[in-house]
């Protein structure tokens, strides 16, 4: 049974109905890619998973988003532990204003690293997971802002992995990066899907084709079509999806 | 910037002439504002020279003897008055102002934030006489009738504590506005990144937001301090104005601006008196400038903690 | 694990409490000025000058001080506007960013805006001695003009920056001189200049320490530039120092008038500014 499930989910900003009757299950340990034209609600859906959407004013929701069977929007949900289950990558990398080491150690530290925990080991482990270790091992205590954008994004990935999430949320994680850095992130994703469920938003259809196992196509706040990548991207059922994957609408 | 050779404008020569004369005019105006600052400093230095040449600068700064008719121009009690009332004001104002700014910016909804900011903005414009007046109506009686008796002390209420309280209320909006501005400059994505890792709001504020904001927050406090040092009317109205070093917060103080306001311009025929008041203005200016220039340099160099992206 | 939740609670409480204390005392401030001032506020206050024995509780009002303040602030704002526009033009269009005079000018504006008004009062008084004028409306205007000049420069500079880079460039591309560029920029920033004028006016009308020695004080109407003029802040100051209760009450009423003037100015500034923002976005 998939551990991420969206159940008749609706979201409003004030009176604007942004997400409409979203009903979809995300397959475990695969890369699910959300595609759709600009403004269709991809970011909003992604931020609903870890309730970062709460930072906006006047948000109303109904329906449920279940993570491991627990509704993240239920009243007594523990936000911190829900968010801890999901790593987040943003459009641009935003390293925290501290050293490379401290960025990765940030998560374990705020969650109260168990006594005798091996922080150095953890940092090394997750930097390796994010394929960054070899590039930074000599300057762990340099400010994270000194890294290149591509390295920063992988640092953000390592930072997210360090709180031991089950899921990785990524909102157009390569849109600020050059092709080489993009390729490294994609490769890392494919490596990571053995142990994590990855949900990524992208604008780039070719990227979707390269990495997606499962595809969700959204249009004006609705999920129009979802299914295995090969099916949605090559043989879509709906006309809108066809138009989108053929580049007629964008 | 070189002008293109082809100029399709009719009044060419007139236009060029205007351009040149405008340039001269603007240059003069720019020189003028620099001239104001320089001439204030030079003027105060020159006019106070008679007194600091005769009595020596340390002699003036460290002496407590204020007896103009007998040539006693010791500034120490006034300097202490300014330092203590400013210190008290900042201790009282800065922590709540910073906390409240954080609350408005990081916790409250947009609506409350906007309303709060507007209110603070309006209050920042209230003139100091009104604060002084309010000090007389509210703070002085409060200190005289409630706070001092609680410590078993008799006071008129015109004292260091009232002065510090009134000053603190005055600088709270100043500090808050600047802290809010600093918080505005921190990208939201950093907060999102921290929260997404499962940090609580306060952890995010403490470890991420504050780390980014602290140079700005320090500047805000410095701005508040420089405001408090130079504040005249409100201080004049509640400080009690007795030239002595106070032994408790319930005793009167006599800050430098109040000294100047009370005595300058009367042109008494006491030798060196005028020069001594000029010297006190110079000391006051120096105190403010140290904070201002420090703040200026700090803002330039320490913008957001060395973050590059 | 529990620790951080408790820490969060404690600090949220502290923050909420600080906000409450701050807003309560600021509202108390306005409240007590209104509460004390409103009963003493009558028509005579705003339509009459002090008559004989005003400071002993006899009849009259503070019209002289109201007018004096408006004239003085108006004149000061005019002088500082005339000076600040060329200054801002110079630092934005006539000198390169790193040049000495440009840096020095920006620095002077920054530093001057922190100089206490009492210092301007002292300096203004000295200038007046040099010029040979005694405490008068003109003397006050010159002094307060220096006081608000940095405020004005900053506010005008703020709007000058709002003018998009492409605008001057596109005018340059047409082969215009800088003078033409400035004409175009000025048209763009006019509403902003209006805001700058009002901000400076609010600052000018409320300041007392700078006019203490320079504008003097009188019960006469301010009819001549070279005669002393009463101002509202000083009139508040002198009235509250009177031992007579009625006179003190008039101080509260005068404070109410001054506060109302300043608050309505800053409110209008906000309204203009929000309208302006909409225009710029469009
Ligand atoms: N805070 C907000 N208040 C009101 N409306 C909002 C808010 N944030 C987003 N929206 C609206 O919600 C809709 C969905 O926005 P969202 O950012 O989720 O789109 P998106 O699919 O991620 O677009 P893009 O591909 O451009 O990133 C848009 O129409 C947007 O205007
Ligand atoms: Mg988006």
């Amino acid at each position: 049974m998939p551990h991420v499930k969206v159940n008749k989910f609706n979201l409003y900003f004030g009176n604007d109905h942004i997400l409409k009757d979203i009903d979809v299950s995300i397959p475990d340990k695969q890369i699910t890619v959300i595609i759709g034209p600009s403004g269709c609600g991809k970011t909003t859906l992604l931020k609903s998973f870890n309730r970062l959407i709460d930072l906006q004013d006047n948000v109303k929701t109904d329906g449920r988003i279940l993570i491991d069977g627990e509704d993240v929007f239920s009243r007594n949900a523990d936000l911190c532990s829900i968010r801890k289950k999901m790593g987040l990558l943003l459009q641009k990398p935003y390293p925290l204003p501290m050293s490379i080491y401290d960025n990765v150690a940030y998560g374990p530290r705020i969650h109260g690293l168990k006594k005798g925990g091996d922080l150095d080991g953890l940092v090394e482990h997750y930097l390796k997971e994010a394929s960054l270790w070899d590039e930074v091992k000599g300057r762990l205590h340099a400010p994270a802002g000194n890294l290149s954008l591509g390295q920063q994004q992988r640092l953000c990935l390592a930072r997210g992995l360090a709180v031991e999430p089950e899921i990785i949320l990524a909102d157009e994680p390569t849109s600020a990066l050059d092709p080489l850095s993009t390729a490294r992130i994609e490769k890392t994703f494919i490596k990571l899907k053995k142990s994590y469920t990855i949900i990524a938003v992208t604008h780039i259809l070719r990227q979707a084709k390269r990495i997606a196992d499962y595809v969700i196509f959204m249009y004006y706040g609705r999920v129009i079509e979802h299914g295995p990548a090969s099916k949605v991207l090559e043989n879509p059922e709906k006309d809108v999806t066809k138009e989108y994957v053929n580049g007629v609408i964008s | 910037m070189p002008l293109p050779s082809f100029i399709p404008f009719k009044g060419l020569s007139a236009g060029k002439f205007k351009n040149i004369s405008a340039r001269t005019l603007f240059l003069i105006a720019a020189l003028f504002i620099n001239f104001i600052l320089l001439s204030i400093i030079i003027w105060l230095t020159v006019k106070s020279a008679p007194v600091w040449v005769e009595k020596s600068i340390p002699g003036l700064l460290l002496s407590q003897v204020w007896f103009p008719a007998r040539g006693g121009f010791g500034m120490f009690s006034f300097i202490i008055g300014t330092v203590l009332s400013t210190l008290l004001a900042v201790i009282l104002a800065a922590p709540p102002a910073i906390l409240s700014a954080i609350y408005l910016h990081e916790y409250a909804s947009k609506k409350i934030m906007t309303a709060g900011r507007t209110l603070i903005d309006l209050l920042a414009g209230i003139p100091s006489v009104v604060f002084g007046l309010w000090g007389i109506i509210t703070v002085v009686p409060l200190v005289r009738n409630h706070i001092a008796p609680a410590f078993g002390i008799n006071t008129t209420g015109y004292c260091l504590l009232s002065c510090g309280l009134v000053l603190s209320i005055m600088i709270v909006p100043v500090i808050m506005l600047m802290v809010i501005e600093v918080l505005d400059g921190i990208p939201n994505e950093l907060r999102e990144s921290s929260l997404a890792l499962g940090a609580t709001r306060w952890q995010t504020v403490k470890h991420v937001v504050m780390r980014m904001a602290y140079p700005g927050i320090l500047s805000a406090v410095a701005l508040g301090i420089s405001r408090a040092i130079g504040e005249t009317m409100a201080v004049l109205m509640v400080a009690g104005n007795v030239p002595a070093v106070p032994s408790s917060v319930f005793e009167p103080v006599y800050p430098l601006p109040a000294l100047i306001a009370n005595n300058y311009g009367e042109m008494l025929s006491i030798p060196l008196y005028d020069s001594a008041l000029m010297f006190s203005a110079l000391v006051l200016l120096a105190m403010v400038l140290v904070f201002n220039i420090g703040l200026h340099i700090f803002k330039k160099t320490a913008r957001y903690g060395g973050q590059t992206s | 694990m529990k620790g951080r939740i408790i820490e969060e609670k404690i600090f949220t409480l502290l923050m909420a409490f600080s906000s409450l204390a701050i807003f309560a005392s600021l509202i108390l401030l306005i409240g007590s000025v209104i509460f004390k001032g409103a009963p003493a506020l009558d028509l005579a206050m705003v339509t009459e000058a002090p008559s004989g024995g005003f400071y002993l509780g006899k009849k009259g009002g503070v019209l002289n001080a109201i007018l004096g303040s408006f004239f003085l602030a108006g004149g000061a704002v005019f002088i500082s506007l005339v000076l600040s526009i060329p200054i801002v033009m110079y630092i934005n269009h006539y000198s390169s960013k790193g040049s000495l005079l440009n840096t020095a000018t920006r620095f002077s504006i920054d530093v001057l805006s922190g100089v206490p008004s009492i210092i301007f009062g002292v300096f203004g008084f000295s200038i007046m001695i040099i010029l040979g004028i005694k405490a008068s409306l003109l003397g006050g205007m010159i002094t307060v003009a220096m006081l608000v000049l940095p405020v004005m420069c900053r506010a005008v500079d703020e709007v000058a920056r709002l003018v998009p880079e492409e605008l001057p460039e596109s005018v340059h591309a047409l082969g215009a001189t800088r003078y033409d560029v400035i004409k175009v920029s000025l048209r763009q920033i006019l509403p902003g200049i209006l805001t700058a004028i009002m901000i400076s006016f609010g600052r000018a009308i409320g300041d007392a320490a700078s006019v203490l020695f320079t504008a003097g004080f009188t019960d006469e109407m301010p009819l001549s530039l070279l005669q002393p003029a009463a101002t509202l802040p000083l009139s508040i100051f002198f009235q509250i120092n009177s031992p007579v209760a009625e006179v003190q009450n008039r101080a509260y009423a005068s404070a109410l008038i001054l506060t109302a003037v300043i608050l309505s100015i800053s409110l209008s500034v906000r309204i203009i500014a929000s309208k302006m923002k909409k225009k710029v976005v469009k």
Side-chain angles (χ1 to χ4, degrees):
Chain A
M1 185 190 130
H3 64 213
V4 182
K5 234 179 137 170
V6 186
N7 209 328
K8 295 220 171 56
F9 184 71
N10 284 282
L11 185 142
Y12 310 79
F13 282 132
N15 291 324
D16 297 342
H17 197 171
I18 302 292
L19 296 179
K20 299 161 191 165
D21 284 324
I22 309 278
D23 214 60
V24 65
S25 296
I26 310 279
D28 285 351
K29 312 253 156 108
Q30 292 189 10
I31 300 180
T32 299
V33 169
I34 305 177
I35 55 173
S38 186
C40 68
K42 305 180 295 289
T43 300
T44 309
L45 178 61
L46 207 64
K47 288 193 174 163
S48 300
F49 285 122
N50 65 359
R51 284 192 59 180
L52 271 186
I53 205 71
D54 287 19
L55 298 185
Q56 309 295 325
D57 274 340
N58 296 321
V59 181
K60 271 186 316 221
T61 58
D62 57 58
R64 300 192 299 173
I65 292 181
L66 300 171
I67 310 280
D68 295 328
E70 185 193 357
D71 181 10
V72 300
F73 279 92
S74 89
R75 251 156 188 273
N76 42 20
D78 174 4
L79 275 189
C80 291
S81 58
I82 287 170
R83 286 177 179 155
K84 189 171 169 291
K85 285 183 189 170
M86 290 170 255
L88 177 70
L89 280 186
L90 297 167
Q91 287 192 348
K92 262 175 62 186
Y94 279 92
L96 300 174
M98 42 188 91
S99 71
I100 296 169
Y101 183 98
D102 289 337
N103 259 276
V104 183
Y106 182 77
R109 278 182 181 145
I110 57 170
H111 289 290
L113 188 75
K114 282 169 209 82
K115 273 264 150 53
D118 172 18
L119 202 52
D120 293 352
L122 273 182
V123 170
E124 178 176 346
H125 175 74
Y126 289 111
L127 282 172
K128 277 182 178 154
E129 287 258 287
S131 336
L132 187 61
W133 174 252
D134 292 331
E135 291 154 67
V136 301
K137 61 186 170 198
R139 46 171 171 156
L140 286 177
H141 295 284
N146 292 356
L147 296 173
S148 76
L149 275 185
Q151 291 171 328
Q152 286 183 14
Q153 191 65 304
R154 274 175 284 144
L155 177 66
C156 291
L157 183 59
R159 179 180 74 193
L161 295 178
V163 293
E164 300 170 355
E166 299 155 19
I167 304 156
I168 297 169
L169 305 172
D171 189 359
E172 301 182 33
T174 61
S175 63
L177 306 185
D178 59 287
L180 218 68
S181 308
T182 303
R184 300 206 61 167
I185 293 273
E186 288 177 5
K187 248 171 73 186
T188 313
F189 273 6
I190 290 167
K191 179 179 94 185
L192 287 173
K193 75 178 178 186
K194 284 189 208 81
S195 8
Y196 302 90
T197 301
I198 299 177
I199 309 174
V201 168
T202 183
H203 249 112
I204 314 159
L205 272 173
R206 267 177 302 163
Q207 183 171 55
K209 283 179 187 150
R210 285 195 297 265
I211 61 171
D213 301 307
Y214 198 82
V215 171
I216 297 174
F217 173 62
M218 290 180 68
Y219 194 66
Y220 281 108
R222 286 182 199 283
V223 170
I224 303 293
E225 197 164 346
H226 60 99
S230 54
K231 186 170 157 298
V232 177
L233 294 176
E234 312 294 340
N235 272 316
E237 277 171 20
K238 304 273 170 44
D239 289 343
V240 211
T241 321
K242 248 176 233 161
E243 283 173 17
Y244 184 79
V245 296
N246 293 329
V248 182
I249 50 173
S250 60
Chain B
M1 218 171 285
L3 287 171
S5 54
F6 169 67
I7 303 173
F9 272 76
K10 15 182 184 163
L12 167 63
S13 55
K16 248 191 173 168
F17 172 72
K18 276 183 188 164
N19 188 26
I20 291 167
S21 57
R23 162 185 267 288
T24 320
L25 185 80
F26 297 169
L27 183 73
I28 292 172
L31 285 171
F32 181 71
I33 194 165
N34 292 291
F35 174 74
I36 294 183
L37 181 61
L38 266 180
S39 51
I40 291 180
I41 297 172
I42 294 171
W43 180 260
L44 293 182
T45 313
V46 169
K47 290 299 273 187
S48 59
V51 80
W52 57 255
V53 165
E54 188 172 322
K55 311 263 175 192
S56 91
I57 294 181
L60 288 169
L61 294 181
L62 298 176
S63 158
Q64 270 195 57
V65 182
W66 178 255
F67 210 147
R70 300 231 187 108
F73 294 112
M75 295 282 151
F76 190 72
S77 6
F78 304 101
I79 295 171
I80 276 293
T82 290
V83 169
L84 288 181
S85 50
T86 301
L87 209 64
L88 187 59
V90 158
I91 290 169
L92 291 172
I98 294 167
L99 282 172
S100 174
I102 293 174
Y103 186 77
L104 282 182
H105 199 276
E106 307 288 320
Y107 284 72
S109 71
K110 259 216 183 79
K111 256 189 210 150
I112 294 182
M113 162 71 190
T114 318
R117 197 178 185 167
T118 309
L119 197 61
I120 295 289
D121 207 18
L122 292 181
L123 290 161
I126 290 186
S128 52
V129 202
V130 176
F131 280 97
L133 189 73
W134 179 70
I136 293 178
I137 316 174
T138 317
V139 179
V140 168
L142 181 77
V143 171
R144 183 199 316 131
N145 302 332
H146 300 285
I147 300 181
F151 292 90
I153 289 171
N154 242 332
T155 169
T156 56
Y158 293 90
C159 61
L160 174 57
L161 181 59
S162 304
C163 188
L165 278 168
V166 171
L167 278 177
S168 72
I169 304 269
M170 285 190 72
I171 62 173
V172 157
V174 176
I175 298 178
M176 271 182 86
L177 282 177
M178 188 159 161
V179 173
I180 288 177
E181 204 173 291
V182 169
L183 295 177
D184 258 347
I186 296 173
N188 235 342
E189 284 85 351
L190 279 173
R191 301 182 177 89
E192 289 185 356
S193 298
S194 168
L195 290 172
L197 293 168
T200 62
R201 268 187 194 245
W202 177 249
Q203 283 177 319
T204 304
V205 167
K206 190 164 99 178
H207 299 301
V208 178
V209 175
M210 290 302 254
R211 196 184 277 252
M212 296 285 276
Y214 87 93
I217 291 181
L218 284 185
S219 311
V221 174
L223 183 68
I225 291 177
S226 99
R227 209 41 95 67
I229 293 176
E231 175 47 44
T232 306
M233 291 319 274
V235 160
L236 181 65
M237 289 161 85
V238 298
N241 303 333
V242 175
V245 175
S247 57
S248 86
V249 292
F250 298 110
E251 285 184 16
V253 283
Y254 204 164
L256 284 164
L259 168 74
I260 303 167
N262 266 341
N263 300 295
Y264 188 71
E266 285 175 10
M267 291 298 124
L268 298 175
S269 51
I270 299 171
L272 293 183
Y273 195 12
D274 185 51
S275 180
L277 289 176
M278 285 293 194
F279 184 71
S280 66
L282 185 64
V283 172
L284 178 65
L285 183 65
M287 289 169 84
V288 170
L289 286 192
V290 164
F291 271 95
N292 265 319
I293 294 174
L295 183 145
H296 189 87
I297 293 166
F298 200 59
K299 261 203 304 209
K300 284 263 145 73
T301 53
R303 187 129 267 194
Y304 306 137
Q307 184 86 346
T308 50
S309 69
Chain C
M1 218 50 305
K2 270 273 176 299
R4 62 175 186 164
I5 307 289
I6 294 169
E7 194 179 325
E8 171 93 30
K9 286 247 159 74
I10 291 174
F11 275 95
T12 315
L13 220 67
L14 271 177
M15 284 187 271
F17 182 73
S18 302
S19 307
L20 212 69
I22 286 172
F23 285 100
S25 48
L26 290 173
I27 286 167
L28 198 74
L29 169 83
I30 303 260
S32 59
V33 170
I34 295 176
F35 186 71
K36 284 266 195 176
L41 190 63
D42 55 17
L43 206 59
M45 278 294 290
V46 293
T47 56
E48 287 173 26
S51 56
F54 177 74
Y55 295 97
L56 297 171
K58 294 262 174 58
K59 282 208 334 205
V62 291
L63 180 64
N64 63 327
I66 297 175
L67 287 181
S69 273
F70 271 91
F71 291 166
L72 197 148
V77 165
F78 177 77
I79 298 171
S80 70
L81 181 66
V82 168
L83 283 172
S84 68
I85 290 183
I87 292 170
V88 171
M89 285 298 156
Y90 182 80
I91 52 179
N92 280 315
H93 297 290
Y94 278 78
S95 58
S96 46
K97 265 254 150 61
S99 76
L100 182 66
L101 187 56
N102 184 305
T103 316
T105 308
R106 285 189 183 279
F107 181 75
S108 290
I109 294 174
D110 268 9
V111 172
L112 275 179
S113 64
V115 170
S117 59
I118 186 90
I119 301 278
F120 284 107
V122 170
F123 185 63
F125 186 73
S126 313
I127 289 182
M128 286 160 52
I129 293 176
I130 295 173
L131 293 180
I133 31 180
K134 57 180 169 60
S136 61
L137 191 54
L138 182 64
M141 277 177 189
I142 294 172
T143 309
V144 176
M146 287 192 289
L147 174 74
V148 294
L149 183 60
V151 181
M152 186 71 101
C153 284
R154 278 181 166 184
V156 173
D157 187 39
E158 200 77 9
V159 243
R161 274 190 218 158
L162 278 185
V163 181
E165 279 288 313
E166 306 95 66
L167 179 72
E169 264 164 30
S170 63
V171 186
H172 265 305
L174 288 172
T177 62
R178 286 184 199 181
Y179 175 72
D180 295 303
V181 175
I182 284 153
K183 267 206 306 205
V184 176
S185 317
L186 267 184
R187 203 170 311 142
Q188 284 270 315
I189 64 181
L190 217 56
I193 300 236
L194 197 64
T195 332
I197 289 176
M198 292 169 81
I199 292 174
S200 314
F201 190 86
R203 182 75 203 281
I205 204 170
D207 200 77
S210 57
V211 294
L212 198 55
F213 325 120
T214 56
F217 198 79
T218 167
D219 286 351
E220 304 298 318
M221 287 291 190
L223 296 175
S224 158
L225 275 178
L226 294 173
Q227 291 300 315
T231 44
L232 261 181
L234 282 189
S235 121
I236 295 168
F237 179 65
F238 290 132
Q239 291 175 87
I240 194 65
N241 279 329
S242 153
V244 183
E246 274 160 56
V247 183
Q248 289 185 0
N249 288 341
R250 288 202 198 118
Y252 305 137
S254 312
L256 183 56
I257 297 171
L258 182 60
T259 312
V261 169
I262 285 173
L263 287 191
S264 39
I265 289 173
S266 19
L267 274 177
S268 347
V269 168
R270 296 203 138 248
I271 292 167
I272 294 180
S274 70
K275 285 221 171 109
M276 197 167 72
K277 234 180 226 155
K278 272 178 207 148
K279 250 190 211 154
V280 170
V281 172
K282 273 172 198 166

